[in-house]
Amino acid sequence: MTKRDRIAQKAKQLLAATPAGLRFSQLISALTKAFPGEPNGTLTGYTFNLHTQYPDDIYRPRRGVFRLTKYRSKAELEEDLVFQKESAITMADFKDTIAEIRARFPHLKRDAVFVLWFLVAHLAEDEDQAAKALVGGVGDKGADAIWIDEASKAVLIVQAKFRETLGEKVENRNDVLGLLNIARHLSQTDDDKFKSQLAGMEPTVAARLPQARNRFLRGGFRLLLYYVTLGRVSNTIRNDAAAGLDDLSRLVSMEIVDSASAAVIMRNYLDGIAPSIPSCNLEIEEGDQVRVKTIAERNDEKNSIECRVLSMRGDKIAELYERARIRLFARNVRGYLGQSPPVNDAMKETLQDEPDRFFYYNNGITILCDDAESKKRDGKETLHVKHPQIINGQQTTRTLAAHPRLAANASVMVKVIAVKQQSSGDKQFNDLLSSIVVGTNFQSPIKQSDLRSNDRIQVALERSLRKLGYAYIRKRQSSSEQKVSVGGKQYHPIKKEDFAQAVAACEIDGYIARSSKEKLFDEENYKDIFKSPEPFFYLARYWLMNQVGRHLRRKDGRRETRWLVIRFLWSRLSPALKGNGRLRAFSEQCQHAETALVGPLGKAINAAAGRAMRFYKAAKGKRADQVDMPTFFKSKRSSVNEFMEYLRKSEIAIPGLEVQLARIGQALEQ
């Protein structure tokens, strides 16, 4: 028995003794006691995917919890727990997320992984680049990460405190205000004094601070300080920190992220908004011939929703996009549809010919945020919004950004809806979001599949698939936007509609998979299709669909059989594809066209298609009422059950099928 097997066996024993299941952190703690000499990284690496290694024995009833399948209730089997949204972010979400990141960075300690999570969730777009910003250790003087962002001309310094509980630990005043000392060090203009202050610092910090100081003092970079904790920070300490900033340059700012703010960032991270946009200022328009008196306000106390309506200049909207780019639309259910739609062409014409009437012709922009507050900034009235997301008006925003000079002469109506995420459940928040999107989008119709694009299962699949070299396209968007979303790297693109069809063809039936892609995203089918967070659950089925499509291209009628062939072959292949390892082997050998597997698979496909053609000829009926081939294979008459019954009654085996299936099994073994 291998080490992995011994650890798995012990994990099963621990789960057997706990019918309710164990959280990942609890399971690791118990395994550490059982294997005292084993490194924590080994236990974590062998345990985090137990449910995929032993799917018949272990499952996850919810994120981060492991339980034996024998304790699974009938109600759980009927309800798809993957899609159950928790009403509030809990400590378990932080621990589970950190455990998942740590599986990719096993050399990092837990506190460092917490810093890395914050960088990715709030500041940086690339996880590997964010990891390079980590510093810290004995004598680090409060700096856990130092990131010099050349693009935005900013030096970002993070100090973070991971706590075992959420919102209970009260932070020490000296710890919080100590972060300001780094700003004072970097503000030191005397080179000798600055060098003396580096004495005793952790080497990585001491090496990076001079670079940061050079950018700050001589490069005009902003200095952004972040104190991040899962505890609480009193208002007194916050006021003292604000007072401490008064003695420093205007280029220095400090953000204190406590448990409540961290929970919002975590929810955004889980919802695919990472890094989030901390805040922005919406400037009310001013002009010689246009008078805007104030920002209209509406407070809905019953639903705890606040709404503001204001008028902004088009170029100011364009500036918002230039600063945040596509992150500004992360909650939008669609991507950018490109410049070709007639609506976008009409907007461009209005900007060119009638910019003063753009305000009246255009529906405006809807922004969803956590909080909105009217402020005076440089003598101008502005609306300060936290975590803004444009959920309606992406086409307008992108058109204005594409023509900033023309946009300067146009005005846009902006509706800002503030919903405090930390005080409202996910269901309320997402129901509201969906309703707003559907209710305000009538120029470019919203599809059923669009409304699923921001589900957490879709976001999780996008993240996990990217690490495997796939670009998962969960939003409807133009091809150029797809390239932007994956950073120009060469990924194999897969649309969520492709996954839906592949799973429906394998798990439900072929005639349903081919009927309508949009029907696969309705309530009844969706929960049966997207029922697993594991990427190879979908990839294996996708690659079978891909291989069937490649072999049945001819227009001799065999192509019409492809959906039935997929369902039939999956029923025969699935016993050999138990477990995540087999699913992965099948997917990768199909992707790389390994002859040992795709050779016999191709022969099995052709054999099954030939028998499906004979099935049609036997079932199409006599001349008077015979059904044409496309109609037949779209109907229930072409279901896999009907096909299997035909094979049973005809008592004729599919030539060579068993031999080819055996060869496929051998390829998977190798």
Side-chain angles (χ1 to χ4, degrees):
M1 184 181 291
T2 65
K3 182 190 297 184
R4 181 187 293 271
D5 292 334
R6 290 196 300 273
I7 292 173
Q9 185 180 61
K10 185 61 180 179
K12 290 179 182 179
Q13 293 173 0
L14 293 168
L15 293 173
T18 315
L22 291 172
R23 288 199 169 274
F24 182 74
S25 55
Q26 295 172 323
L27 187 57
I28 292 298
S29 178
L31 288 172
T32 301
K33 294 178 181 178
F35 301 93
E38 214 51 74
N40 184 268
T42 300
L43 296 174
T44 300
Y46 285 174
T47 309
F48 80 98
N49 62 344
L50 277 174
H51 58 299
T52 60
Q53 295 181 55
Y54 307 96
D56 295 334
D57 302 321
I58 301 172
Y59 78 110
R60 294 200 308 184
R62 58 187 181 277
R63 187 182 181 90
V65 176
F66 294 86
R67 192 183 188 193
L68 290 185
T69 54
K70 68 179 183 180
Y71 296 130
R72 198 171 194 172
S73 67
K74 182 178 179 180
E76 286 179 293
L77 291 172
E78 296 173 346
E79 186 176 14
D80 185 4
L81 295 178
V82 175
F83 305 109
Q84 292 299 312
K85 309 273 189 175
E86 295 182 359
S87 60
I89 296 296
T90 66
M91 192 66 209
D93 291 295
F94 285 95
K95 290 183 177 180
D96 293 342
T97 298
I98 287 172
E100 290 176 4
I101 297 175
R102 196 173 186 183
R104 298 190 293 275
F105 296 88
H107 61 286
L108 294 178
K109 295 182 178 179
R110 183 194 60 183
D111 290 3
V113 176
F114 177 59
V115 180
L116 176 58
W117 165 78
F118 175 76
L119 289 172
V120 173
H122 200 53
L123 302 173
E125 295 189 32
D126 185 273
E127 191 175 64
D128 293 327
Q129 286 296 113
K132 295 178 181 178
L134 297 176
V135 295
V138 179
D140 62 7
K141 302 268 178 110
D144 295 317
I146 301 176
W147 181 31
I148 300 175
D149 187 350
E150 302 287 352
S152 62
K153 297 193 69 173
V155 174
L156 301 92
I157 298 179
V158 179
Q159 182 183 11
K161 302 291 184 182
F162 180 85
R163 304 300 184 189
E164 291 294 337
T165 55
L166 195 60
E168 294 184 10
K169 168 71 176 179
V170 178
E171 294 301 321
N172 181 279
R173 181 179 184 275
N174 291 336
D175 287 342
V176 179
L177 301 185
L179 190 57
L180 293 173
N181 290 331
I182 293 181
R184 297 186 181 100
H185 293 331
L186 297 182
S187 301
Q188 177 59 256
T189 56
D190 189 301
D191 291 343
D192 292 333
K193 288 184 178 180
F194 174 73
K195 290 178 181 178
S196 67
Q197 292 169 347
L198 297 179
M201 285 190 179
E202 193 272 337
T204 309
V205 178
R208 202 164 295 178
L209 280 180
Q211 302 171 25
R213 174 174 175 260
N214 184 59
R215 301 294 198 285
F216 175 56
L217 289 182
R218 300 176 178 85
F221 279 43
R222 292 172 297 145
L223 178 58
L224 311 180
L225 308 175
Y226 295 90
Y227 186 89
V228 187
T229 177
L230 295 184
R232 291 183 289 126
V233 179
S234 69
N235 288 331
T236 301
I237 295 177
R238 291 175 185 273
N239 292 335
D240 289 345
L245 287 172
D246 292 339
D247 300 329
L248 297 168
S249 165
R250 291 183 60 187
L251 294 176
V252 181
S253 65
M254 180 174 177
E255 181 178 351
I256 297 175
V257 178
D258 63 1
S259 59
S261 300
V264 173
I265 295 172
M266 175 58 77
R267 174 171 288 141
N268 287 338
Y269 175 82
L270 295 176
D271 287 346
I273 307 173
S276 60
I277 304 167
S279 64
C280 69
N281 293 300
L282 308 179
E283 186 179 306
I284 193 169
E285 78 164 315
E286 292 182 352
D288 296 334
Q289 297 178 319
V290 175
R291 289 184 297 169
V292 181
K293 293 185 178 181
T294 187
I295 299 173
E297 298 186 14
R298 181 181 186 272
N299 296 327
D300 182 352
E301 296 182 358
K302 179 181 178 181
N303 295 299
S304 299
I305 299 172
E306 298 178 358
C307 184
R308 310 283 201 283
V309 180
L310 66 153
S311 173
M312 292 181 64
R313 271 177 39 181
D315 57 335
K316 297 299 181 181
I317 298 292
E319 288 177 8
L320 289 179
Y321 171 73
E322 291 302 326
R323 284 200 296 270
R325 309 297 292 182
I326 61 175
R327 290 186 294 142
L328 196 57
F329 313 112
R331 283 203 183 276
N332 201 307
V333 296
R334 294 177 307 196
Y336 185 48
L337 301 180
Q339 294 287 351
S340 57
V343 173
N344 295 341
D345 294 338
M347 281 192 284
K348 182 180 177 181
E349 289 180 9
T350 303
L351 288 174
Q352 291 174 331
D353 303 333
E354 300 176 286
D356 56 324
R357 298 187 179 184
F358 189 88
F359 183 89
Y360 310 109
Y361 297 167
N362 186 267
N363 288 323
I365 292 169
T366 301
I367 296 177
L368 195 67
C369 65
D370 298 341
D371 191 33
E373 182 182 2
S374 298
K375 290 185 176 182
K376 286 285 186 180
R377 184 170 177 264
D378 297 330
K380 298 180 180 179
E381 187 174 3
T382 64
L383 187 67
H384 182 74
V385 296
K386 293 183 178 179
H387 298 112
Q389 282 288 301
I390 293 180
I391 59 169
N392 178 252
Q394 179 174 187
Q395 312 303 316
T396 296
T397 304
R398 299 287 288 266
T399 300
L400 293 170
H403 310 284
R405 292 185 180 180
L406 297 175
N409 300 317
S411 302
V412 183
M413 181 179 71
V414 179
K415 182 195 296 183
V416 179
I417 301 173
V419 182
K420 295 187 181 298
Q421 293 190 51
Q422 60 266 40
S423 62
S424 62
D426 280 347
K427 189 176 189 307
Q428 176 193 348
F429 186 80
N430 287 297
D431 285 351
L432 172 65
L433 174 61
S434 297
S435 299
I436 292 172
V437 170
V438 174
T440 55
N441 280 270
F442 58 87
Q443 290 178 313
S444 299
I446 295 291
K447 297 182 179 181
Q448 185 70 28
S449 57
D450 291 333
L451 297 177
R452 300 292 189 181
S453 61
N454 285 334
D455 284 1
R456 285 189 180 169
I457 186 69
Q458 301 296 336
V459 175
L461 284 173
E462 181 184 34
R463 286 192 177 126
S464 58
L465 285 164
R466 181 171 295 208
K467 296 178 179 67
L468 297 172
Y470 294 90
Y472 185 59
I473 312 301
R474 58 184 173 90
K475 293 185 179 183
R476 185 157 53 99
Q477 56 191 253
S478 66
S479 57
S480 60
E481 187 74 356
Q482 290 179 16
K483 293 179 181 178
V484 172
S485 66
V486 298
K489 298 179 181 178
Q490 296 301 314
Y491 291 90
H492 180 93
I494 300 178
K495 295 181 179 180
K496 70 177 185 295
E497 291 81 2
D498 296 333
F499 270 4
Q501 276 197 306
V503 176
C506 292
E507 301 290 334
I508 305 175
D509 221 319
Y511 72 91
I512 292 177
R514 71 175 293 170
S515 60
S516 169
K517 289 184 180 181
E518 288 304 310
K519 287 183 180 179
L520 302 179
F521 290 88
D522 62 24
E523 195 67 35
E524 182 179 356
N525 290 315
Y526 184 76
K527 64 181 181 180
D528 292 328
I529 292 172
F530 289 96
K531 58 186 178 182
S532 172
E534 302 304 328
F536 288 107
F537 171 86
Y538 304 92
L539 285 171
R541 291 157 174 83
Y542 166 81
W543 281 110
L544 175 61
M545 182 178 73
N546 177 277
Q547 287 294 315
V548 171
R550 287 168 62 88
H551 284 85
L552 302 182
R553 289 177 175 175
R554 289 184 292 172
K555 298 180 180 179
D556 58 359
R558 297 186 339 133
R559 183 165 177 76
E560 294 295 338
T561 70
R562 66 191 184 280
W563 299 106
L564 174 57
V565 170
I566 293 170
R567 180 67 182 91
F568 171 71
L569 285 180
W570 183 259
S571 70
R572 301 302 309 275
L573 286 169
S574 55
L577 295 176
K578 294 289 186 182
N580 205 48
R582 288 293 187 89
L583 292 172
R584 179 168 192 154
F586 181 82
S587 303
E588 292 180 346
Q589 289 190 50
C590 285
Q591 181 185 8
H592 300 299
E594 296 288 345
T595 305
L597 186 138
V598 298
L601 180 58
K603 293 178 181 178
I605 291 169
N606 287 321
R611 189 61 65 189
M613 290 289 288
R614 295 181 64 173
F615 167 55
Y616 162 67
K617 292 175 181 178
K620 67 180 180 179
K622 297 181 179 180
R623 292 182 180 179
D625 60 348
Q626 66 178 321
V627 180
D628 64 85
M629 190 178 296
T631 302
F632 176 78
F633 283 106
K634 288 179 183 177
S635 70
K636 292 183 179 180
R637 293 174 63 183
S638 68
S639 71
V640 72
N641 290 334
E642 294 287 340
F643 182 56
M644 297 288 280
E645 181 65 14
Y646 160 76
L647 293 176
R648 186 185 67 80
K649 288 182 177 180
S650 64
E651 297 182 351
I652 301 176
I654 299 178
L657 179 63
E658 299 304 324
V659 173
Q660 304 308 329
L661 291 176
R663 289 175 179 172
I664 292 171
Q666 291 172 3
L668 292 173
E669 286 289 346
Q670 295 171 1

